[in-house]
mmCIF file of all heavy atoms in Angstrom:
data_model
loop_
_atom_site.group_PDB
_atom_site.id
_atom_site.type_symbol
_atom_site.label_atom_id
_atom_site.label_comp_id
_atom_site.label_asym_id
_atom_site.label_seq_id
_atom_site.Cartn_x
_atom_site.Cartn_y
_atom_site.Cartn_z
ATOM 1 N N ASP A 18 0.925 -1.201 0.012
ATOM 2 C CA ASP A 18 -0.038 -0.007 0.025
ATOM 3 C C ASP A 18 0.878 1.233 0.095
ATOM 4 O O ASP A 18 1.459 1.529 1.011
ATOM 5 C CB ASP A 18 -0.849 -0.085 1.259
ATOM 6 C CG ASP A 18 -1.843 1.287 1.319
ATOM 7 O OD1 ASP A 18 -1.749 2.031 0.320
ATOM 8 O OD2 ASP A 18 -2.609 1.372 2.263
ATOM 9 N N LEU A 19 0.989 1.879 -1.126
ATOM 10 C CA LEU A 19 1.892 3.017 -1.254
ATOM 11 C C LEU A 19 1.514 4.303 -0.425
ATOM 12 O O LEU A 19 2.169 5.191 -0.201
ATOM 13 C CB LEU A 19 2.174 3.450 -2.704
ATOM 14 C CG LEU A 19 3.007 2.530 -3.500
ATOM 15 C CD1 LEU A 19 3.089 3.043 -5.069
ATOM 16 C CD2 LEU A 19 4.413 2.339 -2.938
ATOM 17 N N LYS A 20 0.150 4.204 -0.131
ATOM 18 C CA LYS A 20 -0.408 5.366 0.794
ATOM 19 C C LYS A 20 -0.334 5.073 2.182
ATOM 20 O O LYS A 20 -0.716 5.942 3.095
ATOM 21 C CB LYS A 20 -1.836 5.521 0.291
ATOM 22 C CG LYS A 20 -2.234 5.834 -1.092
ATOM 23 C CD LYS A 20 -1.374 7.010 -1.603
ATOM 24 C CE LYS A 20 -1.638 7.336 -3.029
ATOM 25 N NZ LYS A 20 -0.924 8.542 -3.595
ATOM 26 N N ALA A 21 0.225 3.963 2.584
ATOM 27 C CA ALA A 21 0.379 3.665 4.018
ATOM 28 C C ALA A 21 1.433 4.617 4.672
ATOM 29 O O ALA A 21 2.315 5.070 4.088
ATOM 30 C CB ALA A 21 0.858 2.175 4.192
ATOM 31 N N ALA A 22 1.195 4.901 6.035
ATOM 32 C CA ALA A 22 1.980 5.863 6.697
ATOM 33 C C ALA A 22 2.097 5.296 8.135
ATOM 34 O O ALA A 22 1.462 4.629 8.687
ATOM 35 C CB ALA A 22 1.233 7.251 6.674
ATOM 36 N N ASN A 23 3.102 6.018 8.812
ATOM 37 C CA ASN A 23 3.455 5.764 10.205
ATOM 38 C C ASN A 23 2.576 6.865 11.020
ATOM 39 O O ASN A 23 2.576 8.054 10.675
ATOM 40 C CB ASN A 23 4.936 5.849 10.577
ATOM 41 C CG ASN A 23 5.723 4.815 10.074
ATOM 42 O OD1 ASN A 23 5.030 3.778 9.569
ATOM 43 N ND2 ASN A 23 6.995 4.887 9.938
ATOM 44 N N THR A 24 1.881 6.318 12.063
ATOM 45 C CA THR A 24 1.056 7.259 12.842
ATOM 46 C C THR A 24 1.389 6.998 14.287
ATOM 47 O O THR A 24 2.106 6.145 14.681
ATOM 48 C CB THR A 24 -0.413 6.930 12.583
ATOM 49 O OG1 THR A 24 -0.633 5.549 13.080
ATOM 50 C CG2 THR A 24 -0.708 7.091 11.180
ATOM 51 N N ARG A 25 0.741 7.760 15.188
ATOM 52 C CA ARG A 25 0.853 7.788 16.533
ATOM 53 C C ARG A 25 0.461 6.317 17.075
ATOM 54 O O ARG A 25 1.094 5.694 17.890
ATOM 55 C CB ARG A 25 0.121 8.789 17.291
ATOM 56 C CG ARG A 25 0.417 8.811 18.786
ATOM 57 C CD ARG A 25 -0.826 8.986 19.566
ATOM 58 N NE ARG A 25 -0.545 9.233 21.005
ATOM 59 C CZ ARG A 25 -0.285 8.224 21.945
ATOM 60 N NH1 ARG A 25 -0.140 6.931 21.490
ATOM 61 N NH2 ARG A 25 -0.197 8.451 23.220
ATOM 62 N N LYS A 26 -0.705 5.712 16.481
ATOM 63 C CA LYS A 26 -1.148 4.536 16.827
ATOM 64 C C LYS A 26 -0.351 3.331 16.269
ATOM 65 O O LYS A 26 -0.234 2.155 16.703
ATOM 66 C CB LYS A 26 -2.628 4.336 16.462
ATOM 67 C CG LYS A 26 -3.562 5.338 17.344
ATOM 68 C CD LYS A 26 -4.995 5.031 16.889
ATOM 69 C CE LYS A 26 -5.903 5.797 17.762
ATOM 70 N NZ LYS A 26 -7.263 5.598 17.265
ATOM 71 N N GLU A 27 0.260 3.636 15.096
ATOM 72 C CA GLU A 27 0.984 2.613 14.337
ATOM 73 C C GLU A 27 2.279 3.143 13.868
ATOM 74 O O GLU A 27 2.594 3.378 12.654
ATOM 75 C CB GLU A 27 0.230 1.978 13.161
ATOM 76 C CG GLU A 27 0.627 0.627 12.721
ATOM 77 C CD GLU A 27 -0.306 0.157 11.663
ATOM 78 O OE1 GLU A 27 -1.217 0.684 11.255
ATOM 79 O OE2 GLU A 27 -0.065 -1.070 11.212
ATOM 80 N N PRO A 28 3.304 3.362 14.870
ATOM 81 C CA PRO A 28 4.543 4.179 14.553
ATOM 82 C C PRO A 28 5.537 3.514 13.688
ATOM 83 O O PRO A 28 6.371 4.029 13.151
ATOM 84 C CB PRO A 28 4.995 4.531 15.916
ATOM 85 C CG PRO A 28 4.548 3.412 16.815
ATOM 86 C CD PRO A 28 3.255 3.199 16.292
ATOM 87 N N GLU A 29 5.319 2.084 13.451
ATOM 88 C CA GLU A 29 6.232 1.333 12.817
ATOM 89 C C GLU A 29 5.674 0.567 11.669
ATOM 90 O O GLU A 29 6.110 -0.477 11.161
ATOM 91 C CB GLU A 29 7.162 0.365 13.691
ATOM 92 C CG GLU A 29 7.999 1.144 14.740
ATOM 93 C CD GLU A 29 8.824 0.184 15.519
ATOM 94 O OE1 GLU A 29 8.836 -1.089 15.275
ATOM 95 O OE2 GLU A 29 9.625 0.681 16.313
ATOM 96 N N ARG A 30 4.585 1.185 11.128
ATOM 97 C CA ARG A 30 3.882 0.476 9.976
ATOM 98 C C ARG A 30 4.893 0.332 8.765
ATOM 99 O O ARG A 30 4.939 -0.643 8.168
ATOM 100 C CB ARG A 30 2.593 1.399 9.581
ATOM 101 C CG ARG A 30 1.885 0.943 8.309
ATOM 102 C CD ARG A 30 1.311 -0.372 8.401
ATOM 103 N NE ARG A 30 0.385 -0.552 7.253
ATOM 104 C CZ ARG A 30 0.768 -1.101 6.038
ATOM 105 N NH1 ARG A 30 2.001 -1.436 6.086
ATOM 106 N NH2 ARG A 30 -0.124 -1.321 5.123
ATOM 107 N N ILE A 31 5.546 1.493 8.619
ATOM 108 C CA ILE A 31 6.516 1.380 7.504
ATOM 109 C C ILE A 31 7.960 1.506 8.034
ATOM 110 O O ILE A 31 8.265 2.448 8.877
ATOM 111 C CB ILE A 31 6.337 2.601 6.491
ATOM 112 C CG1 ILE A 31 5.068 2.532 5.918
ATOM 113 C CG2 ILE A 31 7.447 2.505 5.429
ATOM 114 C CD1 ILE A 31 4.629 1.342 5.005
ATOM 115 N N ARG A 32 8.777 0.592 7.835
ATOM 116 C CA ARG A 32 10.257 0.616 8.363
ATOM 117 C C ARG A 32 11.056 -0.280 7.548
ATOM 118 O O ARG A 32 10.547 -1.164 6.806
ATOM 119 C CB ARG A 32 10.201 0.176 9.779
ATOM 120 C CG ARG A 32 9.731 -1.233 10.131
ATOM 121 C CD ARG A 32 9.740 -1.504 11.549
ATOM 122 N NE ARG A 32 9.036 -2.857 11.927
ATOM 123 C CZ ARG A 32 9.765 -4.006 11.795
ATOM 124 N NH1 ARG A 32 11.055 -4.000 11.641
ATOM 125 N NH2 ARG A 32 9.134 -5.154 12.145
ATOM 126 N N PRO A 33 12.358 -0.083 7.528
ATOM 127 C CA PRO A 33 13.331 -1.005 6.800
ATOM 128 C C PRO A 33 13.274 -2.439 7.330
ATOM 129 O O PRO A 33 13.114 -2.616 8.526
ATOM 130 C CB PRO A 33 14.624 -0.407 7.034
ATOM 131 C CG PRO A 33 14.444 0.891 7.557
ATOM 132 C CD PRO A 33 13.124 0.940 8.291
ATOM 133 N N ARG A 34 13.337 -3.370 6.385
ATOM 134 C CA ARG A 34 13.391 -4.646 6.680
ATOM 135 C C ARG A 34 14.572 -5.320 5.811
ATOM 136 O O ARG A 34 14.979 -4.736 4.944
ATOM 137 C CB ARG A 34 12.118 -5.455 6.404
ATOM 138 C CG ARG A 34 10.894 -4.862 7.053
ATOM 139 C CD ARG A 34 9.459 -5.482 6.561
ATOM 140 N NE ARG A 34 8.445 -4.733 7.204
ATOM 141 C CZ ARG A 34 7.923 -4.901 8.353
ATOM 142 N NH1 ARG A 34 8.487 -5.741 9.259
ATOM 143 N NH2 ARG A 34 6.980 -4.215 8.820
ATOM 144 N N PRO A 35 15.076 -6.537 6.292
ATOM 145 C CA PRO A 35 16.119 -7.246 5.551
ATOM 146 C C PRO A 35 15.876 -7.350 4.070
ATOM 147 O O PRO A 35 14.705 -7.855 3.734
ATOM 148 C CB PRO A 35 16.307 -8.500 6.246
ATOM 149 C CG PRO A 35 15.782 -8.200 7.696
ATOM 150 C CD PRO A 35 14.625 -7.281 7.455
ATOM 151 N N LEU A 36 16.756 -7.075 3.254
ATOM 152 C CA LEU A 36 16.793 -7.332 1.757
ATOM 153 C C LEU A 36 17.093 -8.795 1.590
ATOM 154 O O LEU A 36 18.349 -9.157 1.806
ATOM 155 C CB LEU A 36 17.562 -6.381 0.957
ATOM 156 C CG LEU A 36 17.566 -6.649 -0.590
ATOM 157 C CD1 LEU A 36 16.277 -6.497 -1.126
ATOM 158 C CD2 LEU A 36 18.595 -5.688 -1.158
ATOM 159 N N GLU A 37 16.162 -9.761 1.441
ATOM 160 C CA GLU A 37 16.562 -11.191 1.416
ATOM 161 C C GLU A 37 17.203 -11.690 0.191
ATOM 162 O O GLU A 37 18.244 -12.528 0.261
ATOM 163 C CB GLU A 37 15.248 -12.003 1.549
ATOM 164 C CG GLU A 37 14.480 -11.564 2.954
ATOM 165 C CD GLU A 37 15.106 -12.086 4.110
ATOM 166 O OE1 GLU A 37 16.209 -12.859 4.201
ATOM 167 O OE2 GLU A 37 14.709 -11.762 5.311
ATOM 168 N N ARG A 38 16.779 -11.153 -0.980
ATOM 169 C CA ARG A 38 17.364 -11.810 -2.196
ATOM 170 C C ARG A 38 18.427 -11.022 -2.812
ATOM 171 O O ARG A 38 18.331 -10.397 -3.715
ATOM 172 C CB ARG A 38 16.116 -11.956 -3.230
ATOM 173 C CG ARG A 38 14.986 -12.840 -2.719
ATOM 174 C CD ARG A 38 13.911 -12.927 -3.707
ATOM 175 N NE ARG A 38 13.100 -11.655 -3.671
ATOM 176 C CZ ARG A 38 11.937 -11.478 -4.496
ATOM 177 N NH1 ARG A 38 11.791 -12.248 -5.503
ATOM 178 N NH2 ARG A 38 11.489 -10.308 -4.291
ATOM 179 N N VAL A 39 19.663 -11.287 -2.177
ATOM 180 C CA VAL A 39 20.838 -10.600 -2.700
ATOM 181 C C VAL A 39 22.044 -11.553 -2.441
ATOM 182 O O VAL A 39 22.117 -12.190 -1.465
ATOM 183 C CB VAL A 39 21.042 -9.237 -1.808
ATOM 184 C CG1 VAL A 39 21.206 -9.556 -0.372
ATOM 185 C CG2 VAL A 39 22.454 -8.580 -2.250
ATOM 186 N N THR A 40 22.821 -11.620 -3.506
ATOM 187 C CA THR A 40 23.963 -12.632 -3.437
ATOM 188 C C THR A 40 25.178 -11.794 -3.978
ATOM 189 O O THR A 40 25.107 -10.961 -4.881
ATOM 190 C CB THR A 40 23.861 -13.705 -4.335
ATOM 191 O OG1 THR A 40 23.539 -13.531 -5.726
ATOM 192 C CG2 THR A 40 22.506 -14.657 -3.933
ATOM 193 N N LEU A 41 26.369 -12.266 -3.493
ATOM 194 C CA LEU A 41 27.616 -11.600 -3.899
ATOM 195 C C LEU A 41 28.554 -12.820 -4.265
ATOM 196 O O LEU A 41 28.798 -13.710 -3.386
ATOM 197 C CB LEU A 41 28.227 -10.790 -2.774
ATOM 198 C CG LEU A 41 29.662 -10.204 -2.961
ATOM 199 C CD1 LEU A 41 29.537 -9.060 -4.110
ATOM 200 C CD2 LEU A 41 30.022 -9.611 -1.664
ATOM 201 N N LYS A 42 29.189 -12.697 -5.445
ATOM 202 C CA LYS A 42 30.123 -13.685 -5.802
ATOM 203 C C LYS A 42 31.287 -12.850 -6.487
ATOM 204 O O LYS A 42 31.172 -12.261 -7.589
ATOM 205 C CB LYS A 42 29.648 -14.637 -6.877
ATOM 206 C CG LYS A 42 28.635 -15.456 -6.409
ATOM 207 C CD LYS A 42 28.107 -16.566 -7.523
ATOM 208 C CE LYS A 42 27.090 -17.427 -7.011
ATOM 209 N NZ LYS A 42 26.476 -18.430 -7.977
ATOM 210 N N GLY A 43 32.416 -12.845 -5.621
ATOM 211 C CA GLY A 43 33.578 -11.990 -6.142
ATOM 212 C C GLY A 43 33.283 -10.556 -6.215
ATOM 213 O O GLY A 43 32.883 -9.912 -5.177
ATOM 214 N N GLN A 44 33.348 -9.902 -7.361
ATOM 215 C CA GLN A 44 33.052 -8.624 -7.638
ATOM 216 C C GLN A 44 31.532 -8.353 -8.174
ATOM 217 O O GLN A 44 31.263 -7.294 -8.634
ATOM 218 C CB GLN A 44 34.152 -7.936 -8.547
ATOM 219 C CG GLN A 44 35.525 -8.003 -7.965
ATOM 220 C CD GLN A 44 36.551 -7.370 -8.927
ATOM 221 O OE1 GLN A 44 36.247 -7.384 -10.144
ATOM 222 N NE2 GLN A 44 37.570 -6.702 -8.400
ATOM 223 N N ASN A 45 30.800 -9.382 -8.211
ATOM 224 C CA ASN A 45 29.542 -9.402 -8.862
ATOM 225 C C ASN A 45 28.408 -9.618 -7.798
ATOM 226 O O ASN A 45 28.502 -10.627 -7.069
ATOM 227 C CB ASN A 45 29.462 -10.417 -10.010
ATOM 228 C CG ASN A 45 30.454 -10.265 -11.026
ATOM 229 O OD1 ASN A 45 30.431 -9.118 -11.624
ATOM 230 N ND2 ASN A 45 31.289 -11.183 -11.295
ATOM 231 N N LEU A 46 27.481 -8.579 -7.792
ATOM 232 C CA LEU A 46 26.436 -8.620 -6.915
ATOM 233 C C LEU A 46 25.137 -8.647 -7.691
ATOM 234 O O LEU A 46 24.888 -7.990 -8.694
ATOM 235 C CB LEU A 46 26.434 -7.378 -6.030
ATOM 236 C CG LEU A 46 25.297 -7.258 -4.865
ATOM 237 C CD1 LEU A 46 25.798 -6.648 -3.650
ATOM 238 C CD2 LEU A 46 24.149 -6.467 -5.500
ATOM 239 N N THR A 47 24.201 -9.503 -7.233
ATOM 240 C CA THR A 47 22.878 -9.658 -7.821
ATOM 241 C C THR A 47 21.802 -9.459 -6.708
ATOM 242 O O THR A 47 21.892 -10.150 -5.598
ATOM 243 C CB THR A 47 22.711 -10.999 -8.533
ATOM 244 O OG1 THR A 47 23.684 -11.114 -9.540
ATOM 245 C CG2 THR A 47 21.373 -11.024 -9.215
ATOM 246 N N ALA A 48 20.961 -8.556 -6.890
ATOM 247 C CA ALA A 48 19.798 -8.413 -5.989
ATOM 248 C C ALA A 48 18.477 -8.369 -6.736
ATOM 249 O O ALA A 48 18.347 -7.875 -7.810
ATOM 250 C CB ALA A 48 20.006 -7.238 -5.195
ATOM 251 N N THR A 49 17.399 -8.870 -5.994
ATOM 252 C CA THR A 49 16.156 -8.749 -6.609
ATOM 253 C C THR A 49 15.342 -7.651 -5.730
ATOM 254 O O THR A 49 15.204 -7.764 -4.572
ATOM 255 C CB THR A 49 15.195 -10.135 -6.498
ATOM 256 O OG1 THR A 49 16.026 -11.041 -7.192
ATOM 257 C CG2 THR A 49 13.982 -9.933 -7.145
ATOM 258 N N LEU A 50 15.009 -6.686 -6.403
ATOM 259 C CA LEU A 50 14.344 -5.454 -5.745
ATOM 260 C C LEU A 50 12.965 -5.538 -6.145
ATOM 261 O O LEU A 50 12.302 -5.650 -7.203
ATOM 262 C CB LEU A 50 14.998 -4.046 -6.330
ATOM 263 C CG LEU A 50 16.455 -3.972 -6.398
ATOM 264 C CD1 LEU A 50 16.791 -2.530 -6.925
ATOM 265 C CD2 LEU A 50 17.041 -4.326 -5.072
ATOM 266 N N ALA A 51 12.083 -5.280 -4.873
ATOM 267 C CA ALA A 51 10.621 -5.386 -5.070
ATOM 268 C C ALA A 51 10.134 -4.106 -5.805
ATOM 269 O O ALA A 51 10.961 -3.111 -6.034
ATOM 270 C CB ALA A 51 9.976 -5.347 -3.569
ATOM 271 N N PRO A 52 8.955 -4.163 -6.415
ATOM 272 C CA PRO A 52 8.363 -2.936 -7.083
ATOM 273 C C PRO A 52 8.246 -1.896 -6.057
ATOM 274 O O PRO A 52 8.072 -1.921 -4.913
ATOM 275 C CB PRO A 52 7.028 -3.407 -7.500
ATOM 276 C CG PRO A 52 7.034 -4.985 -7.411
ATOM 277 C CD PRO A 52 7.963 -5.316 -6.376
ATOM 278 N N ALA A 53 8.577 -0.611 -6.656
ATOM 279 C CA ALA A 53 8.365 0.516 -5.735
ATOM 280 C C ALA A 53 9.042 0.497 -4.414
ATOM 281 O O ALA A 53 8.473 0.331 -3.410
ATOM 282 C CB ALA A 53 6.882 0.934 -5.694
ATOM 283 N N SER A 54 10.401 0.144 -4.433
ATOM 284 C CA SER A 54 11.080 -0.025 -3.201
ATOM 285 C C SER A 54 12.373 0.783 -3.139
ATOM 286 O O SER A 54 13.009 1.195 -4.022
ATOM 287 C CB SER A 54 11.516 -1.507 -3.212
ATOM 288 O OG SER A 54 12.402 -1.895 -4.309
ATOM 289 N N TRP A 55 12.729 1.153 -1.792
ATOM 290 C CA TRP A 55 13.940 1.791 -1.569
ATOM 291 C C TRP A 55 14.884 0.708 -0.984
ATOM 292 O O TRP A 55 14.481 0.094 0.025
ATOM 293 C CB TRP A 55 13.795 2.905 -0.618
ATOM 294 C CG TRP A 55 14.862 3.515 0.199
ATOM 295 C CD1 TRP A 55 15.301 3.115 1.440
ATOM 296 C CD2 TRP A 55 15.932 4.439 -0.267
ATOM 297 N NE1 TRP A 55 16.555 3.811 1.768
ATOM 298 C CE2 TRP A 55 16.770 4.598 0.785
ATOM 299 C CE3 TRP A 55 16.038 5.096 -1.570
ATOM 300 C CZ2 TRP A 55 17.987 5.530 0.557
ATOM 301 C CZ3 TRP A 55 17.010 6.017 -1.665
ATOM 302 C CH2 TRP A 55 17.936 6.197 -0.591
ATOM 303 N N ASN A 56 16.201 0.593 -1.438
ATOM 304 C CA ASN A 56 17.001 -0.474 -0.981
ATOM 305 C C ASN A 56 18.462 0.137 -0.724
ATOM 306 O O ASN A 56 18.869 1.050 -1.340
ATOM 307 C CB ASN A 56 17.231 -1.355 -2.191
ATOM 308 C CG ASN A 56 15.812 -2.015 -2.629
ATOM 309 O OD1 ASN A 56 15.320 -2.905 -2.086
ATOM 310 N ND2 ASN A 56 15.334 -1.284 -3.593
#
């Protein structure tokens, strides 16, 4: 829900979470980014 917000009643509705789908091999990194996401 892109309109979701943090409020007094729900202060952690939106917060950073672990980026699960990321791998590193040598100098090459691959990550899967969710739609409409900050990473």
Side-chain angles (χ1 to χ4, degrees):
D18 181 2
L19 288 179
K20 302 301 182 183
N23 293 343
T24 63
R25 191 225 188 275
K26 292 183 178 180
E27 201 174 1
E29 296 190 357
R30 170 71 169 83
I31 305 293
R32 59 185 175 86
R34 302 178 190 277
L36 178 61
E37 302 288 355
R38 293 177 290 174
V39 54
T40 58
L41 177 67
K42 293 182 179 179
Q44 296 179 333
N45 298 302
L46 179 144
T47 302
T49 302
L50 310 183
S54 64
W55 165 260
N56 306 270

